[in-house]
Amino acid sequence: MTDEVSPPRAWQRHLQFMPASRIGAWLFSNRLHYIDRLLLRLSKGRLSVPGVLVGLPVVTLTTTGAKSGKSRTAPVVGIRDGDKIVIIGTNFGTSRQPAWYHNLRANPEAILTLPQASGTYIAREATPAERELYWKKGDEIYIGYAAYRRRIRGREVPIFVLTPKRGELGRVVSSRHFGAG
């Protein structure tokens, strides 16, 4: 598996200013997940609104609820690093941690669905050195991360590294490019 992800196209990069803005972040955080869940399900994980419009590599993260124990699914930006997938919990620049953060802390085993495959992964929080690296990788694909960091107060943004688990599903995510672009 490679960490190749096509950078957003010029027109997609310009559109990234919308979800990075306060108004855009509010709109996307309150409405986008409804549309994206449906679009990802209908396209078998190949299409998402952020993928098509702003060139972000979106994956579907399924966790076990920290309190409920129920399966919880959310579309998230997944940054590839070799066979690992990295997710950054900016929650659109709000002061709250994303729900999946609490779920991964309580149960680090999760299922990731990428455009070409899905598999079981084990999550861990990034080390300080990895955090620096992954912030840089994130900033390369999405201008919103810098805007979100400026707005977030009172919490450290979690960065999780998800490594494929060999066994139950018996397959590792393919090495093909994912994300629209």
Side-chain angles (χ1 to χ4, degrees):
M1 186 177 270
T2 67
D3 60 354
E4 255 181 68
V5 173
S6 297
R9 294 181 176 144
W11 64 270
Q12 290 171 318
R13 197 77 168 159
H14 289 292
L15 287 177
Q16 287 185 1
F17 286 99
M18 189 173 82
S21 72
R22 285 186 189 276
I23 293 170
W26 179 88
L27 179 65
F28 278 56
S29 68
N30 288 295
R31 298 291 172 240
L32 181 66
H33 58 278
Y34 296 115
I35 299 166
D36 240 12
R37 282 185 183 135
L38 177 63
L39 185 57
L40 283 161
R41 187 171 52 245
L42 292 174
S43 69
K44 295 183 173 46
R46 289 187 302 272
L47 296 175
S48 69
V49 174
V52 172
L53 290 182
V54 296
L56 296 180
V58 175
V59 300
T60 303
L61 172 70
T62 302
T63 60
T64 301
K67 293 181 182 176
S68 70
K70 294 180 180 177
S71 182
R72 304 289 186 203
T73 301
V76 296
V77 173
I79 302 167
R80 180 166 285 173
D81 182 19
D83 65 347
K84 299 175 285 216
I85 302 295
V86 176
I87 56 176
I88 301 174
T90 58
N91 204 17
F92 293 94
T94 67
S95 60
R96 295 179 327 273
Q97 298 287 19
W100 56 257
Y101 162 79
H102 304 289
N103 296 344
L104 285 179
R105 295 273 323 255
N107 183 356
E109 188 170 295
I111 295 173
L112 283 180
T113 303
L114 284 68
Q116 301 304 323
S118 67
T120 302
Y121 284 69
I122 304 299
R124 65 172 175 78
E125 292 194 54
T127 66
E130 287 173 324
R131 287 179 62 78
E132 187 175 325
L133 171 70
Y134 294 138
W135 273 124
K136 286 179 187 174
K137 282 183 170 258
D139 288 340
E140 288 172 9
I141 63 167
Y142 181 46
I143 63 166
Y145 284 133
Y148 297 159
R149 282 196 305 276
R150 286 190 299 271
R151 288 200 301 260
I152 293 171
R153 301 281 184 257
R155 72 175 177 98
E156 180 176 64
V157 174
I159 298 177
F160 278 88
V161 179
L162 290 96
T163 305
K165 177 182 177 182
R166 310 237 188 257
E168 286 179 24
L169 292 179
R171 56 188 169 151
V172 177
V173 176
S174 86
S175 62
R176 294 186 57 183
H177 159 82
F178 67 96

